Structures are given as structure tokens and as C-alpha cells.
Amino acid sequence: IDLLFSRGYLISDKPIVVKDSWVQRGFGNGLYITYDKRNDCEYITYGDIWVLILGTVMDTQSWHMNMSTIAQKIAEKFALGEDFLYDYLDYLGGRHLIVYGNKTDAYLVQDATGMRSVCYHRHSLLVASHYNIINQIVHAEKNPFVEDMVQMNLVNLFQV
């Protein structure tokens, strides 16, 4: 089993192949997601609103894990307003990423504990589960300060 970028994903504004075995689909307003097929993924539209959920999510208000129902409820709450949406998000548990939007805007939230990692590039529309997925695309220069810290075994971190 190939475990590199296990259960990973990449969101971008153009189709990019990360791994041949990953699933790729368009969504929202010209966005693309490429993800490890071991992830659950649900995408729905509700009028002009769209919702994509990647990962495992549970509605603790209704005690179910039906991603289609949860995505539909997110869309309905978003249509009512941000306060309604964020009140509902408080009841969602799991390890997930939710991307939602309408004709003009897109938003991304991760699970409350941050179990589903989110890395992003500052200058390109690239959001990924792993730093190195983005780095393989943009070939970021290494930060000398971070490199020194890593060499001295003071920290194990990377910057995109």
C-alpha cells in the first residue's frame, strides 16, 4: 500500500494530478479537488449554493453520519445566513474539511479540532492536506532560518 499523502487532498483552480490513483472532480465556481479515494467525499448544490465535504463527519444534533443530509443542511443554513451556519457547524464532529460557497464566494472550514490538516500557498490558489503536495507544485525555496532550526534539531517544521 502506498502511504505517501495517505487520505490527502489538493484543492486548486485548475486540474492537477497529484497521484494517478486519486480521484479528481470539479466543483463550485471553477475549483478542482483531487483526493485519495480512501476519503469519503460528498458534493451537493442547493440553488446557487454548493457544498463539498471531504472526510468523516457526524451531526451530533441528530446523531447521524449521512454526508448528503449534512451537506444539504449546511447549504440550507448558509442560505439563511452565517450565524445559522456557524451555529450548525458547532454540532459537527469528525475529521473533515467543508468547502462551501455561492456564485461569487468560496469558504473553507476544517473540523473543530483541526484533525483534518489544511495547508495553503500564499500566492496561488492551492490548499492541501500536506505541505509537500503544494511544494511539489510550486517548488518553494527553503527558508534559511527554518533550515538552520531543523539542522540544529530545534524544530521540525516547513514553510511554503
Side-chain angles (χ1 to χ4, degrees), residues 1 10 12-14 31 51 57 84 86 129 146-147 151 156:
I1 296 178
L10 171 69
S12 63
D13 57 354
K14 58 185 169 255
L31 298 173
V51 177
V57 62
F84 292 97
Y86 287 121
S129 56
V146 173
E147 277 298 301
Q151 292 300 320
N156 185 14

Side-chain angles (χ1 to χ4, degrees), residues 33-50:
I33 185 165
T34 305
Y35 60 93
D36 184 333
K37 61 186 171 190
R38 290 176 287 180
N39 286 306
D40 291 326
C41 186
E42 183 71 31
Y43 177 68
I44 64 111
T45 57
Y46 178 78
D48 291 339
I49 294 170
W50 50 268

Side-chain angles (χ1 to χ4, degrees), residues 8-118:
Y9 67 88
L10 171 69
I11 297 172
S12 63
D13 57 354
K14 58 185 169 255
I16 299 172
V17 175
V18 177
K19 297 178 84 168
D20 290 336
S21 62
W22 284 18
V23 177
Q24 185 172 89
R25 70 184 302 167
F27 73 99
N29 303 328
L31 298 173
Y32 295 87
I33 185 165
T34 305
Y35 60 93
D36 184 333
K37 61 186 171 190
R38 290 176 287 180
N39 286 306
D40 291 326
C41 186
E42 183 71 31
Y43 177 68
I44 64 111
T45 57
Y46 178 78
D48 291 339
I49 294 170
W50 50 268
V51 177
L52 182 135
I53 303 173
L54 183 76
T56 303
V57 62
M58 178 178 194
D59 181 328
T60 63
Q61 199 171 33
S62 304
W63 293 106
H64 69 83
M65 295 177 69
N66 183 310
M67 287 178 63
S68 179
T69 302
I70 292 169
Q72 182 70 28
K73 197 162 184 181
I74 289 169
E76 291 168 2
K77 297 296 184 181
F78 181 51
L80 292 173
E82 276 189 343
D83 288 343
F84 292 97
L85 173 65
Y86 287 121
D87 285 344
Y88 178 62
L89 292 178
D90 285 343
Y91 290 99
L92 299 183
R95 181 176 183 250
H96 57 269
L97 175 77
I98 300 171
V99 188
Y100 62 96
N102 53 33
K103 285 185 174 181
T104 58
D105 298 306
Y107 305 92
L108 181 147
V109 293
Q110 69 191 116
D111 59 90
T113 63
M115 293 282 293
R116 168 59 65 189
S117 60
V118 176

